Short mmCIF file of all heavy atoms in Angstrom, two decimals:
data_model
loop_
_atom_site.label_atom_id
_atom_site.label_comp_id
_atom_site.label_asym_id
_atom_site.label_seq_id
_atom_site.Cartn_x
_atom_site.Cartn_y
_atom_site.Cartn_z
N THR T 122 -1.98 0.16 2.06
CA THR T 122 -2.69 -0.91 2.77
C THR T 122 -3.90 -0.41 3.55
O THR T 122 -4.78 -1.20 3.88
CB THR T 122 -1.78 -1.66 3.76
OG1 THR T 122 -1.44 -0.78 4.85
CG2 THR T 122 -0.53 -2.19 3.09
N VAL T 123 -3.94 0.88 3.85
CA VAL T 123 -5.02 1.41 4.69
C VAL T 123 -6.39 1.10 4.08
O VAL T 123 -7.37 0.89 4.80
CB VAL T 123 -4.85 2.93 4.93
CG1 VAL T 123 -4.96 3.71 3.63
CG2 VAL T 123 -5.84 3.44 5.96
N TYR T 124 -6.46 1.00 2.76
CA TYR T 124 -7.74 0.71 2.09
C TYR T 124 -8.32 -0.65 2.51
O TYR T 124 -9.52 -0.87 2.44
CB TYR T 124 -7.59 0.67 0.56
CG TYR T 124 -6.55 1.55 -0.04
CD1 TYR T 124 -5.45 1.00 -0.70
CD2 TYR T 124 -6.66 2.94 0.02
CE1 TYR T 124 -4.48 1.81 -1.28
CE2 TYR T 124 -5.69 3.75 -0.55
CZ TYR T 124 -4.60 3.19 -1.19
OH TYR T 124 -3.65 3.99 -1.76
N PHE T 125 -7.43 -1.55 2.91
CA PHE T 125 -7.84 -2.92 3.17
C PHE T 125 -7.99 -3.24 4.66
O PHE T 125 -8.34 -4.37 5.01
CB PHE T 125 -6.83 -3.89 2.54
CG PHE T 125 -6.62 -3.65 1.07
CD1 PHE T 125 -5.44 -3.12 0.60
CD2 PHE T 125 -7.63 -3.94 0.17
CE1 PHE T 125 -5.25 -2.89 -0.76
CE2 PHE T 125 -7.46 -3.71 -1.19
CZ PHE T 125 -6.26 -3.19 -1.65
N TRP T 126 -7.72 -2.27 5.52
CA TRP T 126 -7.90 -2.51 6.95
C TRP T 126 -9.38 -2.71 7.23
O TRP T 126 -10.22 -1.93 6.79
CB TRP T 126 -7.38 -1.34 7.77
CG TRP T 126 -5.90 -1.13 7.67
CD1 TRP T 126 -4.98 -1.95 7.07
CD2 TRP T 126 -5.15 -0.01 8.18
NE1 TRP T 126 -3.72 -1.42 7.17
CE2 TRP T 126 -3.79 -0.23 7.85
CE3 TRP T 126 -5.50 1.14 8.88
CZ2 TRP T 126 -2.78 0.67 8.21
CZ3 TRP T 126 -4.51 2.04 9.23
CH2 TRP T 126 -3.16 1.80 8.91
N THR T 127 -9.70 -3.73 7.97
CA THR T 127 -11.11 -4.00 8.29
C THR T 127 -11.63 -3.07 9.38
O THR T 127 -12.83 -2.83 9.48
CB THR T 127 -11.30 -5.46 8.73
OG1 THR T 127 -10.42 -5.73 9.85
CG2 THR T 127 -10.96 -6.43 7.61
N ASP T 128 -10.72 -2.55 10.21
CA ASP T 128 -11.10 -1.65 11.30
C ASP T 128 -9.96 -0.64 11.47
O ASP T 128 -8.99 -0.89 12.19
CB ASP T 128 -11.33 -2.44 12.59
CG ASP T 128 -11.87 -1.59 13.72
OD1 ASP T 128 -11.67 -0.35 13.69
OD2 ASP T 128 -12.50 -2.15 14.64
N ALA T 129 -10.08 0.51 10.81
CA ALA T 129 -9.00 1.50 10.81
C ALA T 129 -8.71 2.03 12.21
O ALA T 129 -7.55 2.27 12.55
CB ALA T 129 -9.36 2.65 9.87
N ARG T 130 -9.73 2.22 13.02
CA ARG T 130 -9.50 2.73 14.38
C ARG T 130 -8.71 1.74 15.22
O ARG T 130 -7.79 2.12 15.94
CB ARG T 130 -10.84 3.05 15.05
CG ARG T 130 -11.52 4.26 14.46
CD ARG T 130 -12.77 4.65 15.22
NE ARG T 130 -13.41 5.81 14.62
CZ ARG T 130 -14.51 6.37 15.10
NH1 ARG T 130 -15.10 5.88 16.17
NH2 ARG T 130 -15.02 7.44 14.49
N GLN T 131 -9.05 0.47 15.11
CA GLN T 131 -8.31 -0.56 15.84
C GLN T 131 -6.88 -0.65 15.33
O GLN T 131 -5.94 -0.83 16.11
CB GLN T 131 -9.02 -1.91 15.72
CG GLN T 131 -8.28 -3.08 16.34
CD GLN T 131 -8.04 -2.94 17.83
OE1 GLN T 131 -8.76 -2.21 18.52
NE2 GLN T 131 -7.02 -3.63 18.35
N ALA T 132 -6.71 -0.54 14.02
CA ALA T 132 -5.35 -0.60 13.44
C ALA T 132 -4.49 0.54 13.98
O ALA T 132 -3.34 0.33 14.37
CB ALA T 132 -5.44 -0.54 11.92
N LEU T 133 -5.04 1.75 14.01
CA LEU T 133 -4.27 2.89 14.51
C LEU T 133 -4.02 2.78 16.01
O LEU T 133 -2.97 3.22 16.51
CB LEU T 133 -4.99 4.19 14.17
CG LEU T 133 -4.98 4.54 12.68
CD1 LEU T 133 -5.88 5.75 12.40
CD2 LEU T 133 -3.56 4.82 12.19
N LYS T 134 -4.95 2.19 16.72
CA LYS T 134 -4.74 1.94 18.15
C LYS T 134 -3.56 1.00 18.35
O LYS T 134 -2.72 1.20 19.25
CB LYS T 134 -6.01 1.34 18.75
CG LYS T 134 -5.94 1.08 20.25
CD LYS T 134 -7.27 0.52 20.75
CE LYS T 134 -7.19 0.21 22.24
NZ LYS T 134 -8.48 -0.36 22.75
N GLU T 135 -3.47 -0.03 17.52
CA GLU T 135 -2.37 -0.98 17.60
C GLU T 135 -1.04 -0.33 17.22
O GLU T 135 -0.01 -0.57 17.85
CB GLU T 135 -2.65 -2.18 16.68
CG GLU T 135 -3.53 -3.23 17.29
CD GLU T 135 -2.78 -3.99 18.38
OE1 GLU T 135 -2.07 -4.96 18.07
OE2 GLU T 135 -2.91 -3.60 19.56
N ILE T 136 -1.06 0.48 16.16
CA ILE T 136 0.16 1.18 15.75
C ILE T 136 0.64 2.09 16.87
O ILE T 136 1.84 2.14 17.18
CB ILE T 136 -0.10 1.97 14.45
CG1 ILE T 136 -0.31 1.00 13.28
CG2 ILE T 136 1.08 2.91 14.15
CD1 ILE T 136 -0.84 1.66 12.02
N TYR T 137 -0.28 2.81 17.47
CA TYR T 137 0.07 3.69 18.60
C TYR T 137 0.71 2.88 19.72
O TYR T 137 1.70 3.29 20.32
CB TYR T 137 -1.19 4.39 19.09
CG TYR T 137 -0.94 5.52 20.06
CD1 TYR T 137 -0.80 6.83 19.61
CD2 TYR T 137 -0.85 5.29 21.43
CE1 TYR T 137 -0.57 7.87 20.49
CE2 TYR T 137 -0.62 6.33 22.32
CZ TYR T 137 -0.49 7.62 21.84
OH TYR T 137 -0.26 8.65 22.72
N ARG T 138 0.17 1.71 19.97
CA ARG T 138 0.68 0.85 21.05
C ARG T 138 2.12 0.42 20.81
O ARG T 138 2.94 0.43 21.73
CB ARG T 138 -0.22 -0.40 21.19
CG ARG T 138 0.26 -1.40 22.23
CD ARG T 138 -0.61 -2.64 22.26
NE ARG T 138 -0.51 -3.44 21.04
CZ ARG T 138 0.50 -4.26 20.77
NH1 ARG T 138 1.53 -4.38 21.61
NH2 ARG T 138 0.49 -4.96 19.64
N VAL T 139 2.46 0.02 19.58
CA VAL T 139 3.80 -0.53 19.33
C VAL T 139 4.85 0.56 19.07
O VAL T 139 6.03 0.25 19.03
CB VAL T 139 3.79 -1.54 18.16
CG1 VAL T 139 2.86 -2.71 18.47
CG2 VAL T 139 3.43 -0.88 16.83
N LEU T 140 4.41 1.80 18.91
CA LEU T 140 5.36 2.90 18.73
C LEU T 140 5.92 3.37 20.07
O LEU T 140 5.21 3.41 21.07
CB LEU T 140 4.68 4.08 18.04
CG LEU T 140 4.65 4.11 16.52
CD1 LEU T 140 3.78 5.26 16.04
CD2 LEU T 140 6.06 4.22 15.93
N GLN T 141 7.18 3.75 20.05
CA GLN T 141 7.77 4.40 21.21
C GLN T 141 7.22 5.81 21.33
O GLN T 141 6.68 6.37 20.39
CB GLN T 141 9.29 4.46 21.08
CG GLN T 141 9.98 3.11 21.13
CD GLN T 141 11.49 3.25 21.23
OE1 GLN T 141 12.03 4.33 21.15
NE2 GLN T 141 12.17 2.14 21.42
N ILE T 142 7.37 6.42 22.51
CA ILE T 142 7.01 7.82 22.68
C ILE T 142 7.81 8.64 21.67
O ILE T 142 9.01 8.44 21.49
CB ILE T 142 7.33 8.30 24.11
CG1 ILE T 142 6.55 7.46 25.14
CG2 ILE T 142 7.00 9.78 24.26
CD1 ILE T 142 5.05 7.57 25.02
N ASP T 143 7.13 9.55 21.00
CA ASP T 143 7.71 10.39 19.93
C ASP T 143 8.03 9.59 18.67
O ASP T 143 8.68 10.11 17.75
CB ASP T 143 8.97 11.12 20.40
CG ASP T 143 8.68 12.12 21.51
OD1 ASP T 143 7.59 12.71 21.49
OD2 ASP T 143 9.54 12.30 22.38
N GLY T 144 7.57 8.34 18.60
CA GLY T 144 7.74 7.56 17.38
C GLY T 144 6.84 8.09 16.28
O GLY T 144 5.85 8.79 16.53
N THR T 145 7.18 7.77 15.03
CA THR T 145 6.46 8.33 13.89
C THR T 145 5.75 7.27 13.06
O THR T 145 6.21 6.13 12.95
CB THR T 145 7.41 9.12 12.97
OG1 THR T 145 8.45 8.25 12.50
CG2 THR T 145 8.03 10.29 13.71
N LEU T 146 4.64 7.69 12.46
CA LEU T 146 3.86 6.86 11.55
C LEU T 146 3.83 7.52 10.19
O LEU T 146 3.56 8.72 10.09
CB LEU T 146 2.43 6.70 12.07
CG LEU T 146 1.40 6.11 11.09
CD1 LEU T 146 1.77 4.68 10.70
CD2 LEU T 146 0.00 6.16 11.70
#
Side-chain angles (χ1 to χ4, degrees):
T122 69
V123 64
Y124 329 115
F125 305 109
W126 295 352
T127 56
D128 186 336
R130 289 186 181 181
Q131 175 61 23
L133 290 172
K134 182 178 178 181
E135 278 288 275
I136 291 168
Y137 191 92
R138 177 184 67 78
V139 300
L140 273 172
Q141 293 190 354
I142 301 298
D143 296 327
T145 59
L146 167 63

